[in-house]
Amino acid sequence: MLRNALSKASLGRSVSGRLASASGRHAPGGSRRLASQLVEPKQPEVVTDEIPGPQSKAALSRLGLLQDTRAVVFAGDYQKSVGNYIVDADGNYLLDLYCQIASIPVGYNNAALLKAAQSPEMASTLANRPALGMYPSKDWGSTLEQAYMRVKPKGLDMVFTTAHGSDANELAYKAAFMYYAKTRRGGTEGFSAQEMSSVMDNVPPGAPDVAILSFTAGFHGRTFGALSTTRSKAIHKLDIPAFRWPRAPFPQLRYPLDKYSEENAAEESRCLAETERILHDNPMPIAAIVIEPVQSEGGDRHASPRFFQELRSITKQHDVLMIVDEVQTGCGATGTFWAHEQWALETPPDMVTFSKKMQTAGFYHTREMVPDQPYRNFNTWLGDPSRALMTRAIVDEVLERKLVEQTRDTGAYLKSHLEPLAIRYFRVFNSVRGEGTFLAFDCTSAELRTELLHLMRMEGVNMGGSGDVAVRFRPMLTLTKAHVNVFITRFESVLNKLYQKHWPR
Ligand SMILES: Cc1ncc(COP(=O)(O)O)c(C=O)c1O
């Protein structure tokens, strides 16, 4: 059903007119445009009374016979989606500030990515998928250099490619455990007969009780090892057997940071002291800690560079590895390519995991993290070279178009608009925070957040939440100040609607 029936005919005309110009679906000569010729609209366009609209609902009822669709927001039309705008099955054009859970780097139907997707190299890579640990192509080394090593975190000279974010963490943990065992054996991997037999029964000493320490509200994925370190929501963990690994407190900071600097420093010191106590007293030895630069799924929780610097010193003192999970923060969104660059650590982390905007997953590491024997951290595909070609094209785009710098500017502009709105509309939201465009705010209740996200969607802006009450910004690196202006206008309109409904004068 089209949005209000008011003059269906005229609306129909204007809708189709807008779609033609907004989506650029028709080439000037009347023929259908190629995806790479699509043009971003200047404004969102919402043409249905509800989202999901009728076409989305039809697609979902069909899909629902085959898969669980209860988390689906709407069905997308990825042939028409363009730049910062996602198009749904009903032809609604929404400014996308959520971007497939923070994982679209440089825009829908980006011309450079489409070109890479259509290259003969890509066709060959897709048609002939190698088991990379055994039969990599002769070009795999140079692909790794161009896709990953050009943007490698300082001090980490090797990269291990994996399937997705949870997998990246899972395999980084395995590397940490093997490194831990090797150092405890005096640097060798000579296994005892008892280790060799006990490991087949999943008991020590072959399968030792060793832990990864994670932090309250952290999210590191949903595979078994990763899930044991995930602490954000019970529903992700319920009914799944887990390792009995410890959890340290993550600072609960108050915003604005400069107003609460003393309390926040005290809170960070408390968390550091407790982390140190756990590393010292935990009955199960700890091989590594894993931490996100910004706890993302857990509600956009931040800590200061000082916190991370001191945490790094503590891990060094206790001879424990530091794994930084940049699955969500990596690839530029915080205004530096890797968020942890902003901590200016004296010694780099031991491993940095990535996925999402990189469009391939894995972890950077030092040579020391490579087990002495082959086949130990291993699987059939060890990543996907076709996706790595996309990562290469993404990194090209990001570097050539200086998108990290753009993100820094656009983010500062967005934040400067959000902060005064948070004061004016304090009954709806507060605690604006973040770096680059990796921003967030808290709604004053979970119910209000649901209402706000829904109203924003109906205004043509797709957004998402994190934690219990936060709304997170996860736009592409291609977001500009013009997009921010579009967002702010619509956001103010929604804030006014919420005030009129809940606090009428
Ligand atoms: C910080 C972090 N780590 C790990 C993961 C897991 O990644 P994936 O869902 O690709 O397995 C996520 C996903 O949201 C994440 O945000």
Side-chain angles (χ1 to χ4, degrees), residues 164-166 169 219-221 292 297 325 327-328 355-356:
H164 50 82
S166 308
N169 285 327
F219 184 90
H220 302 290
E292 295 158 88
E297 298 303 309
D325 179 346
V327 165
Q328 193 152 161
S355 184
K356 299 254 191 204

PDB file of all heavy atoms in Angstrom, residues 164-166 169 219-221 292 297 325 327-328 355-356, ligand 1:
ATOM      1  N   HIS A 164      35.099 -15.343   8.926  1.00  0.00           N
ATOM      2  CA  HIS A 164      34.248 -14.260   9.463  1.00  0.00           C
ATOM      3  C   HIS A 164      34.801 -13.837  10.813  1.00  0.00           C
ATOM      4  O   HIS A 164      35.801 -14.400  11.276  1.00  0.00           O
ATOM      5  CB  HIS A 164      32.789 -14.727   9.581  1.00  0.00           C
ATOM      6  CG  HIS A 164      32.637 -16.040  10.283  1.00  0.00           C
ATOM      7  ND1 HIS A 164      32.633 -16.140  11.663  1.00  0.00           N
ATOM      8  CD2 HIS A 164      32.541 -17.296   9.818  1.00  0.00           C
ATOM      9  CE1 HIS A 164      32.513 -17.418  11.991  1.00  0.00           C
ATOM     10  NE2 HIS A 164      32.461 -18.146  10.895  1.00  0.00           N
ATOM     11  N   GLY A 165      34.157 -12.885  11.450  1.00  0.00           N
ATOM     12  CA  GLY A 165      34.726 -12.288  12.656  1.00  0.00           C
ATOM     13  C   GLY A 165      34.905 -13.266  13.804  1.00  0.00           C
ATOM     14  O   GLY A 165      35.953 -13.288  14.474  1.00  0.00           O
ATOM     15  N   SER A 166      33.884 -14.095  14.054  1.00  0.00           N
ATOM     16  CA  SER A 166      33.998 -15.066  15.162  1.00  0.00           C
ATOM     17  C   SER A 166      35.165 -16.009  14.886  1.00  0.00           C
ATOM     18  O   SER A 166      35.936 -16.360  15.787  1.00  0.00           O
ATOM     19  CB  SER A 166      32.724 -15.909  15.270  1.00  0.00           C
ATOM     20  OG  SER A 166      31.588 -15.110  15.321  1.00  0.00           O
ATOM     21  N   ASN A 169      38.521 -14.491  15.653  1.00  0.00           N
ATOM     22  CA  ASN A 169      38.855 -14.542  17.083  1.00  0.00           C
ATOM     23  C   ASN A 169      39.189 -15.966  17.512  1.00  0.00           C
ATOM     24  O   ASN A 169      40.158 -16.211  18.234  1.00  0.00           O
ATOM     25  CB  ASN A 169      37.695 -13.992  17.914  1.00  0.00           C
ATOM     26  CG  ASN A 169      37.625 -12.475  17.820  1.00  0.00           C
ATOM     27  OD1 ASN A 169      38.653 -11.808  17.701  1.00  0.00           O
ATOM     28  ND2 ASN A 169      36.427 -11.924  17.847  1.00  0.00           N
ATOM     29  N   PHE A 219      31.806  -8.254  23.041  1.00  0.00           N
ATOM     30  CA  PHE A 219      31.240  -9.198  22.060  1.00  0.00           C
ATOM     31  C   PHE A 219      32.353  -9.643  21.133  1.00  0.00           C
ATOM     32  O   PHE A 219      33.019  -8.815  20.506  1.00  0.00           O
ATOM     33  CB  PHE A 219      30.117  -8.539  21.243  1.00  0.00           C
ATOM     34  CG  PHE A 219      29.443  -9.511  20.299  1.00  0.00           C
ATOM     35  CD1 PHE A 219      28.336 -10.247  20.704  1.00  0.00           C
ATOM     36  CD2 PHE A 219      29.927  -9.716  19.016  1.00  0.00           C
ATOM     37  CE1 PHE A 219      27.720 -11.164  19.838  1.00  0.00           C
ATOM     38  CE2 PHE A 219      29.330 -10.627  18.145  1.00  0.00           C
ATOM     39  CZ  PHE A 219      28.223 -11.346  18.568  1.00  0.00           C
ATOM     40  N   HIS A 220      32.540 -10.964  21.039  1.00  0.00           N
ATOM     41  CA  HIS A 220      33.625 -11.467  20.191  1.00  0.00           C
ATOM     42  C   HIS A 220      33.153 -12.563  19.247  1.00  0.00           C
ATOM     43  O   HIS A 220      33.974 -13.227  18.631  1.00  0.00           O
ATOM     44  CB  HIS A 220      34.777 -11.945  21.067  1.00  0.00           C
ATOM     45  CG  HIS A 220      35.302 -10.856  21.954  1.00  0.00           C
ATOM     46  ND1 HIS A 220      36.000  -9.782  21.458  1.00  0.00           N
ATOM     47  CD2 HIS A 220      35.156 -10.639  23.293  1.00  0.00           C
ATOM     48  CE1 HIS A 220      36.294  -8.949  22.457  1.00  0.00           C
ATOM     49  NE2 HIS A 220      35.784  -9.438  23.580  1.00  0.00           N
ATOM     50  N   GLY A 221      31.834 -12.767  19.156  1.00  0.00           N
ATOM     51  CA  GLY A 221      31.334 -13.716  18.189  1.00  0.00           C
ATOM     52  C   GLY A 221      30.605 -14.874  18.836  1.00  0.00           C
ATOM     53  O   GLY A 221      30.426 -14.921  20.055  1.00  0.00           O
ATOM     54  N   GLU A 292      37.795  -5.132  22.788  1.00  0.00           N
ATOM     55  CA  GLU A 292      37.414  -4.265  21.662  1.00  0.00           C
ATOM     56  C   GLU A 292      37.820  -2.825  21.980  1.00  0.00           C
ATOM     57  O   GLU A 292      37.648  -2.383  23.121  1.00  0.00           O
ATOM     58  CB  GLU A 292      35.891  -4.247  21.482  1.00  0.00           C
ATOM     59  CG  GLU A 292      35.261  -5.540  21.081  1.00  0.00           C
ATOM     60  CD  GLU A 292      33.774  -5.541  21.461  1.00  0.00           C
ATOM     61  OE1 GLU A 292      32.958  -5.082  20.646  1.00  0.00           O
ATOM     62  OE2 GLU A 292      33.436  -5.982  22.573  1.00  0.00           O
ATOM     63  N   GLU A 297      28.693  -4.195  20.135  1.00  0.00           N
ATOM     64  CA  GLU A 297      27.401  -4.854  20.369  1.00  0.00           C
ATOM     65  C   GLU A 297      26.931  -4.598  21.805  1.00  0.00           C
ATOM     66  O   GLU A 297      25.749  -4.569  22.097  1.00  0.00           O
ATOM     67  CB  GLU A 297      27.496  -6.361  20.123  1.00  0.00           C
ATOM     68  CG  GLU A 297      27.870  -6.748  18.709  1.00  0.00           C
ATOM     69  CD  GLU A 297      26.920  -6.196  17.676  1.00  0.00           C
ATOM     70  OE1 GLU A 297      25.705  -6.392  17.835  1.00  0.00           O
ATOM     71  OE2 GLU A 297      27.382  -5.560  16.713  1.00  0.00           O
ATOM     72  N   ASP A 325      40.299  -6.863  19.305  1.00  0.00           N
ATOM     73  CA  ASP A 325      39.246  -7.271  18.378  1.00  0.00           C
ATOM     74  C   ASP A 325      38.745  -6.024  17.640  1.00  0.00           C
ATOM     75  O   ASP A 325      37.947  -5.245  18.172  1.00  0.00           O
ATOM     76  CB  ASP A 325      38.121  -7.942  19.169  1.00  0.00           C
ATOM     77  CG  ASP A 325      36.962  -8.378  18.290  1.00  0.00           C
ATOM     78  OD1 ASP A 325      36.880  -7.938  17.128  1.00  0.00           O
ATOM     79  OD2 ASP A 325      36.111  -9.152  18.783  1.00  0.00           O
ATOM     80  N   VAL A 327      37.092  -6.182  14.776  1.00  0.00           N
ATOM     81  CA  VAL A 327      36.119  -6.652  13.785  1.00  0.00           C
ATOM     82  C   VAL A 327      35.156  -5.520  13.409  1.00  0.00           C
ATOM     83  O   VAL A 327      34.869  -5.300  12.234  1.00  0.00           O
ATOM     84  CB  VAL A 327      35.367  -7.886  14.328  1.00  0.00           C
ATOM     85  CG1 VAL A 327      34.116  -8.182  13.502  1.00  0.00           C
ATOM     86  CG2 VAL A 327      36.287  -9.105  14.338  1.00  0.00           C
ATOM     87  N   GLN A 328      34.690  -4.783  14.406  1.00  0.00           N
ATOM     88  CA  GLN A 328      33.711  -3.725  14.106  1.00  0.00           C
ATOM     89  C   GLN A 328      34.370  -2.350  13.973  1.00  0.00           C
ATOM     90  O   GLN A 328      33.910  -1.516  13.209  1.00  0.00           O
ATOM     91  CB  GLN A 328      32.616  -3.692  15.181  1.00  0.00           C
ATOM     92  CG  GLN A 328      31.447  -2.854  14.778  1.00  0.00           C
ATOM     93  CD  GLN A 328      30.106  -3.243  15.373  1.00  0.00           C
ATOM     94  OE1 GLN A 328      29.205  -2.433  15.379  1.00  0.00           O
ATOM     95  NE2 GLN A 328      29.908  -4.442  15.858  1.00  0.00           N
ATOM     96  N   SER A 355      37.222  -7.957  10.403  1.00  0.00           N
ATOM     97  CA  SER A 355      36.223  -8.530   9.484  1.00  0.00           C
ATOM     98  C   SER A 355      35.373  -7.360   8.974  1.00  0.00           C
ATOM     99  O   SER A 355      35.921  -6.329   8.605  1.00  0.00           O
ATOM    100  CB  SER A 355      35.377  -9.584  10.208  1.00  0.00           C
ATOM    101  OG  SER A 355      34.492 -10.187   9.303  1.00  0.00           O
ATOM    102  N   LYS A 356      34.044  -7.521   8.972  1.00  0.00           N
ATOM    103  CA  LYS A 356      33.099  -6.441   8.644  1.00  0.00           C
ATOM    104  C   LYS A 356      33.527  -5.593   7.431  1.00  0.00           C
ATOM    105  O   LYS A 356      33.532  -6.086   6.326  1.00  0.00           O
ATOM    106  CB  LYS A 356      32.903  -5.555   9.879  1.00  0.00           C
ATOM    107  CG  LYS A 356      32.317  -6.343  11.084  1.00  0.00           C
ATOM    108  CD  LYS A 356      30.912  -6.038  11.346  1.00  0.00           C
ATOM    109  CE  LYS A 356      30.413  -6.592  12.657  1.00  0.00           C
ATOM    110  NZ  LYS A 356      28.999  -6.793  12.671  1.00  0.00           N
TER     111      LYS A 356
HETATM  112  C1  LIG B   1      33.725  -6.848  17.904  1.00  0.00           C
HETATM  113  C2  LIG B   1      33.176  -8.041  17.208  1.00  0.00           C
HETATM  114  N1  LIG B   1      33.864  -9.196  17.226  1.00  0.00           N
HETATM  115  C3  LIG B   1      33.417 -10.290  16.596  1.00  0.00           C
HETATM  116  C4  LIG B   1      32.228 -10.290  15.918  1.00  0.00           C
HETATM  117  C5  LIG B   1      31.742 -11.532  15.228  1.00  0.00           C
HETATM  118  O1  LIG B   1      31.817 -11.379  13.860  1.00  0.00           O
HETATM  119  P1  LIG B   1      30.943 -12.323  12.889  1.00  0.00           P
HETATM  120  O2  LIG B   1      29.514 -11.988  13.159  1.00  0.00           O
HETATM  121  O3  LIG B   1      31.413 -11.955  11.529  1.00  0.00           O
HETATM  122  O4  LIG B   1      31.278 -13.725  13.235  1.00  0.00           O
HETATM  123  C6  LIG B   1      31.465  -9.105  15.869  1.00  0.00           C
HETATM  124  C7  LIG B   1      30.179  -9.077  15.174  1.00  0.00           C
HETATM  125  O5  LIG B   1      29.360  -8.220  15.362  1.00  0.00           O
HETATM  126  C8  LIG B   1      31.960  -7.958  16.534  1.00  0.00           C
HETATM  127  O6  LIG B   1      31.265  -6.810  16.528  1.00  0.00           O
END
